[in-house]
Amino acid sequence: MVEGNLSPVGGWDACGNRFYSKSELYQMAWTDVDLDSLRVACARYGGPIATIRDDRKMVLVSGGITQPLVKIYNSAGTQLAVFIWDKGRIEALGWTSAEDLMIVEQTGEVHMYSMFGVQLQRNFSMGSEVQREGILQCQLHGTGLVVLTKGLQLWAVSGLEDPRPHKLASPRLKEAPSCMAIMQPHHTLSGCLEVLLAVGTNIMTVDVDSAEQSGTGVGSIQQLCIAPNGQFVAAYTADGRLKVWTSDFTKALSEFATQSEKPPEQLEWCGTDSVVMCWQDILLMVGPYGDWIKHDLEGKTVLVSECDGVRLVSAEKHELLSRVPDSLVDVFKIGSTAPGALLFDARQLFEQQNARADEALRSIVGQLPQAVATCVDAAGAEMDSIRQAALMKAGCYGRAFCPVGSYPRKRILQICQSLRILNALRGSDVGMPLTLPQLEALTPSVLVSRLINGRRHLLALRIAEMLNMDTDKVLVHWACQKISASLQQGDEEVQEVVRGKLQRYRGIRYSLIASHAESVGRKRLATLLLEYETCAADQVPLLLSLGEMEGALTKAIDSGDTDLVYLAIFRMYRKGMPSKSFLETINAKPLAKRLFISYCHRREPELLEQLYLGMASWQGVGHMRLCAALRKANRIRKAAEAGSSSSQAGLISDNTEVVQLLVRASEQYSQTKEHVFQSKACAEFAKLRTVQAELEQEAGQSCFLGCSVIQTVQQCLRLGNARAAERVRHTFKLSDKRFGWVKVQTLATLKDWEALEALCKEKKNVLPIPVYIAAAKANGAPPQACAKLVARLPDASRKAEEYAALGMFQEAAETAATVKDSAMLSKIQGMVGTASPLGATVAQIRDRLTAVTR
């Protein structure tokens, strides 16, 4: 048997075969609050409460302030903020899913405030048409709103992150609807927002594309309400009846006669299986089968529908009316013999050291997993901490005797964590009276976000750590709030406080904190905080926005990310950094210097030249001008190869530009001792181009530009201009051997054997005869021409070999005989054969030489 102080049955009310309980959450902390004279907006999931004087009623105003005040409280009635409403007349106010207060003026202007009364920079207007026609009705929901203008047109906003008012399909109304309700997008088949309008005795469904009749002949409806799950619609009719349909109005589920001549002030769902109506002093709840419960009220009460119940907010207290879960009924129902109840009794007996505990446990040994699940689920549904502990003890007691794996230990851990969170939230200092189903529907991540927005950072951090969630969001938000609240403290002091709290956490995005510090005008603090940022991609852009150009460049280089280096360089160059400082900074960073030079080389060569000049990099300027000269020379060559019709004067002009560039390159290279060779090479190249241009002008054809010195000499010789060849030789100081070799190769290529022989006979000839012979052979000279050259060989043995190679064996034998070369004679004999007459002659000469030798 359950002890009396543990049983909650006394607070239960039966409604058919179900039980409902009305639990007190808080005694309201506010004072002098008259809800009759106020417009009240309560956020779902135990969120804040906003009030403002109801300007639709005559209210006695006392004190010096005549303008209405918007006051914001938590669910326990503790005031969070107050501010003066100095704008237009209010049509509606309510809370978004992010717990921001949304206030709609009759002109269609929408204002957003935080729960601490700070106006957010997300105000918007419903448009000029709404402003011109005015608002007849307005309904708010968690992510937007719908307005019905006095012109009987519907306008909606479906997302507050990017509020864009759009017009719904025209309902073509002849009279104003008596009421309307919003079907949110996640509850509709189309995924679009739908609006229900009660027009006469019909229900019309309107979305962005169409307006159609959904329910006909349903009666004259005064109030509409959609269930939290979007599956049912409740309506109160003019004849005092409560009707419930499915959301598509294809099936009527129930009808209840209230026998009231006056419509209720509010109509809300209690979870998804009952409907609550509130009059001035009566609260009536109607169950799914027509059963009902009535409660007396002491004053005006505001109903707030939740997924598992309805909250009742009055001037004195805050209560929760909800269905008692089946698990609690199984455990605590009077006379219950369910396994969960017997396990709970067994645990009670065990604590009393009563031997009947074993007997009670054995009676449900086959149903222990079910009994454990019932007790654990009941603990999660219970709001009293003493009963929670008792139920969890019973569940753990039973699980110790369960077969292995029959009930997961993880479920007990999850319920314990959830209860710790819920009990912490329900405290009057936090004022967030959530239940377990509400917590599961809200999700822990959203809960943490709401606690952050409510400046409950320590509680949010502990919940995040307990559930192994990311704590970065909590810590960053706390740091930002700390900075905002410490505007009178020094930057170093605030930095030490923030760092001291966050240093034990890894992966904190200090860039977000620094960005907030910058937004409140504390750039020095932002710079100090960025020293702790580990992600260079976040650190460098913010340093640049703070004006820390050199620091940003250093961090970018240290990261090794060339994209970041480029970002820092371009921001420094293009955002007004003095050129001298920029060049000095770039020159001191080798990697940055190389990257910037590479970019300029590809995209902005003019800028590259300025960079080189600013850094006194003469070799760089020289290299640029040399490359420009080579590009220009290459274009001239291609034009000549393509047979371009450009005039000779045009080519000379272009070549003059090439020469000038080469001369300038030579001058720049000469500024440094390390580039003397490059300077001389450019000067020589310029001289060569000048000479070639003169030669082309003399020759009247384009055949010299682009040639080397050797090729230029060869071209002169081909054209028969020996004087020009000599001039090129003297200009570029070609040696006699080099010049002679060029002449030999050119004449051999031209197959001018007589000129080649004449050259060979000259007294100033400095080349050996084999050079002439090799050139002649390489270019296919006839044997007679080669023989003339061979005849001039001074070495008889070499001459005999050359004759033999040419097939002139008679001359070869005679030459070998003159020098008494028996070996050569033997070789020649082998080549011609012993049977031939020449072979016999060679044999006689060889024998004679042999005899003489003996």
Side-chain angles (χ1 to χ4, degrees):
M1 295 293 293
V2 179
E3 294 182 7
N5 60 344
L6 287 179
S7 177
V9 177
W12 294 357
D13 295 305
C15 184
N17 61 350
R18 303 180 181 183
F19 291 93
Y20 288 82
S21 66
K22 188 170 71 166
S23 308
E24 181 178 307
L25 301 175
Y26 306 107
Q27 284 289 329
M28 302 303 285
W30 58 32
T31 57
D32 300 329
V33 173
D34 182 11
L35 296 182
D36 284 322
S37 61
L38 299 174
R39 300 178 74 163
V40 182
C42 301
R44 293 186 62 197
Y45 297 104
I49 303 170
T51 65
I52 189 173
R53 189 177 70 218
D54 192 346
D55 56 3
R56 299 168 296 184
K57 300 178 181 179
M58 296 294 292
V59 179
L60 178 63
V61 178
S62 61
I65 300 177
T66 58
Q67 290 178 306
L69 297 176
V70 177
K71 296 183 179 181
I72 302 176
Y73 306 87
N74 68 5
S75 291
T78 302
Q79 184 170 297
L80 301 177
V82 59
F83 61 92
I84 297 175
W85 177 255
D86 54 0
K87 299 176 178 62
R89 191 169 185 180
I90 295 177
E91 178 62 33
L93 75 160
W95 294 92
T96 70
S97 57
E99 292 190 339
D100 294 329
L101 180 62
M102 180 165 48
I103 303 178
V104 184
E105 296 185 46
Q106 287 187 340
T107 58
E109 295 294 325
V110 182
H111 304 274
M112 307 292 293
Y113 294 85
S114 73
M115 68 172 66
F116 296 101
V118 179
Q119 187 163 12
L120 306 176
Q121 301 301 317
R122 292 193 281 122
N123 301 335
F124 61 94
S125 172
M126 293 300 295
S128 58
E129 184 176 335
V130 175
Q131 184 178 11
R132 183 176 60 255
E133 296 181 358
I135 297 176
L136 183 63
Q137 293 186 43
C138 180
Q139 288 278 337
L140 311 182
H141 60 92
T143 57
L145 72 155
V146 175
V147 299
L148 176 67
T149 67
K150 293 178 181 178
L152 303 182
Q153 298 298 317
L154 288 166
W155 288 79
V157 170
S158 300
L160 295 175
E161 293 299 325
D162 184 18
R164 295 184 179 181
H166 58 276
K167 194 174 185 178
L168 302 184
S170 176
R172 297 184 177 85
L173 300 177
K174 297 180 180 179
E175 59 177 339
S178 56
C179 60
M180 71 177 186
I182 298 174
M183 187 77 72
Q184 296 190 47
H186 60 276
H187 289 153
T188 62
L189 293 176
S190 63
C192 299
L193 181 139
E194 295 179 358
V195 182
L196 303 182
L197 299 176
V199 184
T201 60
N202 302 324
I203 297 291
M204 178 177 287
T205 302
V206 183
D207 60 17
V208 70
D209 297 319
S210 62
E212 56 187 20
Q213 298 288 343
S214 297
T216 58
V218 297
S220 179
I221 295 175
Q222 294 182 332
Q223 294 188 43
L224 277 173
C225 186
I226 299 173
N229 60 5
Q231 297 180 6
F232 311 109
V233 178
Y236 187 86
T237 63
D239 58 356
R241 293 181 177 275
L242 175 68
K243 297 183 178 182
V244 179
W245 299 273
T246 56
S247 59
D248 57 1
F249 294 93
T250 58
K251 183 178 181 181
L253 300 178
S254 67
E255 183 175 330
F256 179 82
T258 64
Q259 300 179 357
S260 173
E261 298 178 356
K262 185 179 179 181
E265 296 178 357
Q266 275 188 272
L267 175 67
E268 294 288 351
W269 281 85
C270 178
T272 57
D273 56 2
S274 60
V275 181
V276 177
M277 294 169 285
C278 177
W279 285 265
Q280 183 66 29
D281 54 357
I282 294 176
L283 183 112
L284 180 64
M285 185 183 73
V286 180
Y289 304 109
D291 302 300
W292 54 275
I293 300 173
K294 185 177 74 171
H295 294 277
D296 294 329
L297 301 175
E298 298 178 359
K300 181 179 178 180
T301 300
V302 179
L303 306 182
V304 187
S305 180
E306 299 286 2
C307 61
D308 60 341
V310 59
R311 287 187 289 122
L312 316 176
V313 180
S314 65
E316 289 77 24
K317 54 188 175 182
H318 193 163
E319 299 173 296
L320 174 66
L321 176 61
S322 61
R323 177 185 168 186
V324 179
D326 293 338
S327 56
L328 277 175
V329 174
D330 287 345
V331 174
F332 291 115
K333 183 179 178 181
I334 296 175
S336 174
T337 57
L342 297 178
L343 177 59
F344 188 82
D345 290 341
R347 173 63 189 185
Q348 294 282 322
L349 293 171
F350 177 76
E351 288 185 351
Q352 297 170 9
Q353 299 183 359
N354 192 321
R356 287 187 300 160
D358 182 65
E359 180 183 344
L361 194 61
R362 289 180 183 277
S363 65
I364 56 170
V365 66
Q367 300 173 300
L368 269 179
Q370 177 186 347
V372 172
T374 300
C375 288
V376 172
D377 292 344
E382 181 56 58
M383 301 194 71
D384 182 80
S385 59
I386 297 176
R387 284 193 286 269
Q388 290 171 1
L391 288 165
M392 288 304 300
K393 287 179 181 179
C396 294
Y397 176 66
R399 187 187 176 281
F401 298 97
C402 287
V404 176
S406 60
Y407 187 83
R409 181 173 178 269
K410 184 178 180 181
R411 175 61 179 168
I412 295 178
L413 176 62
Q414 290 174 342
I415 293 296
C416 287
Q417 290 177 339
S418 298
L419 288 175
R420 289 186 64 188
I421 293 171
L422 292 172
N423 291 336
L425 295 173
R426 291 167 184 162
S428 58
D429 56 331
V430 179
M432 193 178 292
L434 291 178
T435 62
L436 184 59
Q438 292 174 24
L439 176 61
E440 292 174 347
L442 190 63
T443 70
S445 61
V446 176
L447 171 63
V448 170
S449 297
R450 290 195 171 191
L451 289 172
I452 291 172
N453 293 335
R455 300 175 185 173
R456 299 286 179 180
H457 298 96
L458 180 58
L459 179 57
L461 179 63
R462 288 176 175 172
I463 291 174
E465 288 178 337
M466 183 173 68
L467 299 179
N468 295 321
M469 297 170 60
D470 182 20
T471 60
D472 193 24
K473 178 173 64 174
V474 182
L475 298 169
V476 168
H477 193 277
W478 168 83
C480 293
Q481 291 296 313
K482 180 65 177 176
I483 291 171
S484 297
S486 305
L487 298 179
Q488 303 302 320
Q489 294 180 296
D491 294 334
E492 286 75 10
E493 182 180 355
V494 176
Q495 176 255 336
E496 289 177 2
V497 171
V498 172
R499 178 59 179 168
K501 293 291 185 181
L502 303 185
Q503 62 183 351
R504 69 186 186 93
Y505 298 96
R506 300 179 61 184
I508 300 296
R509 295 186 64 187
Y510 283 93
S511 59
L512 297 178
I513 306 173
S515 179
H516 177 77
E518 181 192 14
S519 68
V520 297
R522 306 192 67 169
K523 294 188 176 182
R524 169 64 178 161
L525 176 59
T527 304
L528 292 173
L529 290 171
L530 279 176
E531 290 296 323
Y532 305 112
E533 177 58 60
T534 57
C535 179
D538 294 332
Q539 184 183 42
V540 172
L542 192 52
L543 282 172
L544 292 172
S545 68
L546 292 170
E548 298 291 332
M549 302 295 183
E550 293 188 26
L553 181 58
T554 301
K555 296 294 184 182
I557 293 172
D558 293 342
S559 71
D561 189 337
T562 55
D563 290 338
L564 288 178
V565 179
Y566 275 127
L567 174 65
I569 291 172
F570 294 146
R571 185 71 65 85
M572 292 168 64
Y573 179 70
R574 294 173 178 169
K575 294 299 181 181
M577 188 175 185
S579 298
K580 183 178 181 180
S581 300
F582 172 74
L583 295 175
E584 290 176 353
T585 303
I586 291 294
N587 203 31
K589 310 287 184 183
L591 176 61
K593 179 180 176 181
R594 289 196 299 270
L595 290 175
F596 191 56
I597 290 174
S598 175
Y599 167 80
C600 293
H601 182 73
R602 294 193 303 270
R603 301 291 180 87
E604 300 186 40
E606 298 83 3
L607 177 60
L608 180 58
E609 184 171 353
Q610 294 178 14
L611 176 65
Y612 281 143
L613 290 172
M615 295 189 302
S617 178
W618 312 116
Q619 69 274 16
V621 179
H623 178 72
M624 284 190 62
R625 290 177 178 171
L626 174 60
C627 291
L630 293 175
R631 286 193 297 269
K632 186 71 175 178
N634 193 43
R635 285 195 293 270
I636 295 173
R637 179 184 61 80
K638 288 183 178 180
E641 290 176 353
S644 174
S645 59
S646 301
S647 65
Q648 185 70 20
L651 292 176
I652 293 173
S653 176
D654 291 341
N655 185 66
T656 302
E657 185 179 347
V658 173
V659 172
Q660 290 175 350
L661 288 170
L662 290 170
V663 171
R664 292 174 186 170
S666 176
E667 291 173 353
Q668 296 298 330
Y669 278 126
S670 66
Q671 299 291 326
T672 60
K673 295 180 180 180
E674 295 81 7
H675 297 85
V676 174
F677 170 77
Q678 289 87 339
S679 176
K680 289 183 178 180
C682 289
E684 291 290 318
F685 193 10
K687 188 189 301 183
L688 175 62
R689 298 286 298 193
T690 302
V691 171
Q692 289 174 341
E694 294 173 354
L695 292 173
E696 287 193 352
Q697 196 169 9
E698 292 175 4
Q701 55 181 322
S702 301
C703 57
F704 288 98
L705 286 176
C707 297
S708 65
V709 174
I710 299 300
Q711 291 170 338
T712 302
V713 174
Q714 289 177 336
Q715 192 65 26
C716 290
L717 294 174
R718 289 191 187 100
L719 296 175
N721 194 345
R723 184 178 297 176
E726 285 290 340
R727 187 166 75 247
V728 173
R729 172 193 177 185
H730 289 295
T731 300
F732 295 98
K733 299 178 182 180
L734 291 178
S735 65
D736 292 340
K737 286 188 176 181
R738 186 68 172 171
F739 184 68
W741 181 86
V742 171
K743 291 177 70 175
V744 168
Q745 296 296 326
T746 304
L747 292 174
T749 304
L750 294 174
K751 301 185 184 301
D752 190 349
W753 312 122
E754 292 181 0
L756 184 64
E757 183 183 2
L759 180 64
C760 179
K761 294 178 180 179
E762 289 183 357
K763 294 182 179 180
K764 296 181 179 180
N765 179 33
V766 295
L767 295 177
I769 300 301
V771 173
Y772 290 84
I773 298 172
K777 287 183 178 180
N779 288 276
Q784 295 79 6
C786 291
K788 292 179 181 180
L789 297 173
V790 171
R792 299 190 64 82
L793 282 171
D795 185 358
S797 298
R798 176 68 181 274
K799 185 187 298 185
E801 291 179 1
E802 292 292 344
Y803 276 137
L806 292 173
M808 302 174 72
F809 300 109
Q810 181 68 39
E811 290 81 356
E814 291 175 356
T815 303
T818 58
V819 294
K820 300 179 182 181
D821 189 348
S822 58
M824 187 62 195
L825 291 172
S826 299
K827 184 177 179 181
I828 294 172
Q829 185 182 6
M831 296 172 66
V832 300
T834 56
S836 64
L838 179 60
T841 303
V842 170
Q844 291 176 1
I845 295 172
R846 189 192 62 182
D847 292 342
R848 226 177 18 250
L849 290 174
T850 304
V852 172
T853 303
R854 289 176 182 176

